[in-house]
Amino acid sequence: GENVEQHPSTLSVQEGDSAVIKCTYSDSASNYFPWYKQELGKRPQLIIDIRSNVGEKKDQRIAVTLNKTAKHFSLHITETQPEDSAVYFCAAVRFNKFYFGSGTKLNVKP
Amino acid sequence: KAGVTQTPRYLIKTRGQQVTLSCSPISGHRSVSWYQQTPGQGLQFLFEYFSETQRNKGNFPGRFSGRQFSNSRSEMNVSTLELGDSALYLCASSSPGTGGNTIYFGEGSWLTVV
């Protein structure tokens, strides 16, 4: 099956700095890569996603890049704000089956 | 549009008992998937149902089962509960017809096994 690795497990940045979270996957059949943000005690919510036929996608301060050859994708958050503090999960999806990374706890210090 | 609704939100069970969790998907969504979230194992896929049929299954023992009804509502059942089954159980729904397989999560059911 698919194996998704996510790094780092924790990330602490100063407000205004950028944050980068990286994921690798093992199955070349995976074709959809969403990112979810989960605040403490709340449900995971989709923040951005990318499909295998696209290399990069941006939505305001958030961007995702995908390198199919190397089988890795990354989440980039610029100009971080305290409300960006949460756990972020990446996922690789093949045939409607979601394989999640282990999560990254992002702490943005004011 | 109402989101994914899960009941109950919190429950405490004793080892050896069984539990049933319920999930109502977003109106019009026909796919429902279930996930177990624990601090040590992260988010793990349990199974996915589409049109009352189990379409995908994760690597969980047979004690974990589910079903989907004709109105797309879904239930999952865990029999012979073990302490390690304590977790947040998340349900998610999606509608392949809307152009992708984006899933939307419910608030989850917190299960504590004592």
Side-chain angles (χ1 to χ4, degrees):
Chain A
E2 175 65 277
N3 180 45
V4 178
E5 294 192 358
Q6 183 173 345
H7 300 281
S9 56
T10 58
L11 179 59
S12 191
V13 300
Q14 207 64 41
E15 182 179 358
D17 287 349
S18 295
V20 180
I21 302 170
K22 298 182 179 182
C23 289
T24 60
Y25 62 101
S26 58
D27 193 336
S28 56
S30 291
N31 59 0
Y32 174 58
F33 306 91
W35 285 87
Y36 286 83
K37 174 185 180 182
Q38 187 176 28
E39 296 176 25
L40 192 62
K42 297 191 175 181
R43 73 184 82 192
Q45 293 199 298
L46 178 74
I47 55 170
I48 196 167
D49 56 8
I50 192 168
R51 300 194 184 276
S52 58
N53 58 348
V54 176
E56 185 173 357
K57 183 177 179 181
K58 192 173 181 182
D59 182 4
Q60 299 182 356
R61 296 186 297 108
I62 295 172
V64 58
T65 58
L66 170 65
N67 183 327
K68 281 195 303 182
T69 305
K71 294 194 185 72
H72 67 73
F73 55 113
S74 301
L75 175 71
H76 304 253
I77 305 174
T78 58
E79 300 171 24
T80 53
Q81 300 166 4
E83 51 265 39
D84 294 330
S85 295
V87 178
Y88 292 80
F89 292 95
C90 64
V93 184
R94 58 186 290 271
F95 307 122
N96 287 319
K97 204 166 172 179
F98 281 63
Y99 298 87
F100 285 90
S102 52
T104 296
K105 185 174 182 180
L106 174 64
N107 179 36
V108 180
K109 294 177 286 186
Chain B
K1 214 179 216 184
V4 178
T5 304
Q6 291 187 245
T7 57
R9 291 293 320 281
Y10 306 92
L11 65 166
I12 301 174
K13 290 286 187 178
T14 304
R15 271 183 303 174
Q17 287 186 315
Q18 71 161 11
V19 66
T20 299
L21 308 177
S22 179
C23 172
S24 292
I26 292 171
S27 177
H29 286 192
R30 294 167 62 193
S31 169
V32 173
S33 51
W34 289 89
Y35 300 82
Q36 181 193 65
Q37 186 173 27
T38 59
Q41 298 295 322
L43 267 166
Q44 292 192 291
F45 172 77
L46 280 154
F47 27 66
E48 185 224 356
Y49 287 86
F50 182 80
S51 293
E52 302 178 67
T53 301
Q54 187 180 87
R55 194 161 63 170
N56 279 304
K57 190 177 187 306
N59 297 321
F60 278 80
R63 300 185 297 107
F64 292 81
S65 63
R67 58 177 175 167
Q68 187 180 33
F69 302 96
S70 57
N71 61 358
S72 294
R73 191 177 70 84
S74 176
E75 288 181 348
M76 69 162 280
N77 183 277
V78 187
S79 62
T80 319
L81 284 165
E82 301 176 359
L83 295 178
D85 297 333
S86 295
L88 175 65
Y89 289 89
L90 289 161
C91 165
S93 74
S94 70
S95 178
T98 56
N101 36 16
T102 301
I103 62 173
Y104 300 90
F105 286 95
E107 296 282 7
S109 293
W110 286 95
L111 170 65
T112 300
V113 182
V114 297

